[in-house]
Amino acid sequence: MGAVEVDLAEALRRVADGAPLIDVREQAEWDDVHAPQATLLPMSELQERWSEVPSDDEHPAVVVCHSGYRSAQVVAALERAGVPAVSLAGGMVAWEQGREPVVRGGAASAADGERGHEH
């Protein structure tokens, strides 16, 4: 069984409802750009740190990477470990294409931010 994927709208709904957003990219990718509400948990550290994923049946974690490939792998591993999670289809590429707020190099980007956006 493959990882459950959700589109950007569903991921945003879940995060707004209290699901944690877990970014599984590496530190350098995170430093370049990430969602402001995300928590970094690199895929390379997952085996030692999967218990840190704050997820439950009511609010499965939404996992994001660059394009969706690594997050799908992570979600499959988390599910095997009994941790409910879903993958954001398209990853940060989809996030940025949806003009959602991001943090670039440590500073929030107003250009992509809340303008004309409803939650």
Side-chain angles (χ1 to χ4, degrees), residues 98-112:
R99 301 191 55 77
E100 292 304 315
V102 295
V103 176
R104 291 187 190 280
S109 172
D112 293 333

Side-chain angles (χ1 to χ4, degrees), residues 6-66:
V6 296
D7 65 12
L8 179 60
E10 177 64 12
L12 292 170
R13 185 194 66 74
R14 288 173 180 243
V15 170
D17 286 347
L21 181 62
I22 307 297
D23 192 321
V24 296
R25 297 172 305 145
E26 297 304 314
Q27 185 71 53
E29 294 172 286
W30 168 271
D31 291 345
D32 183 45
V33 62
H34 63 271
Q37 63 271 57
T39 299
L40 178 64
L41 181 59
M43 183 176 175
S44 62
E45 299 175 15
L46 181 67
Q47 191 168 355
E48 299 84 29
R49 298 179 57 194
W50 69 266
S51 63
E52 294 178 33
V53 177
S55 186
D56 58 47
D57 289 333
E58 187 176 337
H59 299 105
V62 176
V63 180
V64 64
C65 65
H66 175 72

